[in-house]
Amino acid sequence: MEEMSGETVVSSAVPATTTRTTSFKGSSPSSKYVKLNVGGALYYTTMQTLTKQDTMLKAMFSGRMEVLTDSEGWILIDRCGKHFGTILNYLRDGAVPLPDSRRETEELLAEAKYYLVQGLADECSAALQNKVRYEPLCKVPLMTSSKEEQRLIATSNKPTVKLLCNRSNNKYSYTSNSDDNMLKNIELFDKLSLRFNGRVLFIKDVIGDEICCWSFYGQGRKIAEVCCTSIVYATEKKQTKVEFPEARIYEETLNILLYESQDDATIDPPDERYRLDEDEERERSERFRRFHIKRPDDRTHHHHQ
């Protein structure tokens, strides 16, 4: 099976057993085709491409270096052929799109260094530095099961911040600023999860009756809750208002740091903490501080379904 890409034909091949080493002497370098076997991948390309830039390939095909050929005239290069087509495209065009994955970019960098294609090597190195800089710093689980969420919170040795954000719970229209405030709550959650990564467990939730609500847990129990949603009774219709109580959320996040474990031995083993009977669980849930954010001049009621 063969793939054709520009001047290149790639296929799998088994190198011939008979080989010889010679200095390459080509005629009509602008038009002559060269047959290359790079680690079992076969390429046709021109002398013009191979000698276009000052690389190891130019040294090989200008007669300055000896090359190894098989009995059928294929020039053998003992390298993986996976990225050789990209090397040729860079020599032709002076630019190529780099791989999306870090691993493949590292592979291409190794090949560019081997063939002394300095420009491509520099581009790969710069891309890898950027990939390091912008790789995610933390992972936030998205919970879709109440039981799994309770288990995760109860067994974590870190304080926990949970944002429940679910627009589908609403049956009324939103006030004019509600969409912006919903987005601001989500953006603040992302900023806090980066800032306190490693110290606090951050969870996103799409289950429950609220539209936008923050919950704060310490040592497996809920400490505080900030509900950002209320119902506004307008003249003829009800509307849902979403607030953005930034200062209150920051305050509760800092408060939750008081529940960081300094010594894991001082906390009950996770399995024991999770085995709460219903009465104890109910007692714990009644102890947390609940805040409903609303303006004093609004006739509002907390949104429940």
Side-chain angles (χ1 to χ4, degrees), residues 150 181 222:
Q150 292 168 8
N181 285 338
K222 185 181 283 190

Side-chain angles (χ1 to χ4, degrees), residues 150-167:
Q150 292 168 8
R151 186 198 65 78
L152 183 60
I153 293 171
T155 57
S156 173
N157 62 355
K158 301 175 185 177
T160 302
V161 174
K162 181 185 78 172
L163 174 62
L164 192 164
C165 190
N166 190 350
R167 286 176 56 92

Side-chain angles (χ1 to χ4, degrees), residues 7 32 35 59 80-81 93 98 113 141 147-148 155 172 184 196 202 228 249 257 275 279 291 302:
E7 298 170 319
K32 182 175 179 61
K35 301 191 299 182
C80 175
D93 304 327
L98 298 182
K113 286 182 175 180
K147 188 173 181 179
E148 175 67 16
T155 57
Y172 307 114
K184 288 177 181 177
F196 295 106
F202 287 86
C228 305
I249 294 166
L257 293 175
R275 295 191 187 114
D279 292 337
F291 302 92
H302 178 55

Side-chain angles (χ1 to χ4, degrees), residues 14-22 35 37 67-76:
V14 178
T17 55
T18 304
T19 60
R20 60 192 178 89
T21 302
T22 61
K35 301 191 299 182
N37 180 339
V67 296
L68 186 67
T69 60
D70 65 15
S71 57
E72 296 181 356
W74 291 92
I75 296 172
L76 306 179

Side-chain angles (χ1 to χ4, degrees), residues 74-227:
W74 291 92
I75 296 172
L76 306 179
I77 299 179
D78 188 18
R79 297 289 293 184
C80 175
K82 177 179 178 181
H83 297 288
F84 192 74
T86 304
I87 298 287
L88 291 180
N89 285 334
Y90 185 84
L91 295 178
R92 294 179 186 119
D93 304 327
V96 289
L98 298 182
D100 291 329
S101 76
R102 177 179 182 82
R103 180 175 179 177
E104 291 203 350
T105 303
E106 290 174 339
E107 292 172 356
L108 181 58
L109 172 60
E111 297 307 300
K113 286 182 175 180
Y114 176 80
Y115 295 110
L116 304 178
V117 186
Q118 190 60 45
L120 181 56
D122 292 343
E123 289 184 21
C124 290
S125 296
L128 288 170
Q129 289 179 357
N130 290 333
K131 287 179 188 291
V132 170
R133 188 180 309 161
Y134 296 112
E135 279 180 349
L137 298 177
C138 64
K139 295 180 179 180
V140 176
L142 176 65
M143 306 309 299
T144 58
S145 161
S146 297
K147 188 173 181 179
E148 175 67 16
E149 176 178 288
Q150 292 168 8
R151 186 198 65 78
L152 183 60
I153 293 171
T155 57
S156 173
N157 62 355
K158 301 175 185 177
T160 302
V161 174
K162 181 185 78 172
L163 174 62
L164 192 164
C165 190
N166 190 350
R167 286 176 56 92
S168 65
N169 287 329
N170 187 32
K171 58 184 177 180
Y172 307 114
S173 63
Y174 287 95
T175 59
S176 58
N177 293 329
S178 290
D179 282 335
D180 286 344
N181 285 338
M182 182 82 82
L183 181 59
K184 288 177 181 177
N185 277 284
I186 295 171
E187 289 176 340
L188 178 58
F189 178 87
D190 291 344
K191 289 178 182 177
L192 291 173
S193 64
L194 289 172
R195 179 175 177 180
F196 295 106
N197 176 45
R199 299 179 63 184
V200 176
L201 171 65
F202 287 86
I203 297 174
K204 280 186 178 178
D205 190 347
V206 294
I207 52 180
D209 295 331
E210 302 294 349
I211 295 171
C212 184
C213 185
W214 296 73
S215 300
F216 303 85
Y217 299 83
Q219 296 182 9
R221 67 182 181 91
K222 185 181 283 190
I223 306 301
E225 179 182 274
V226 179
C227 182

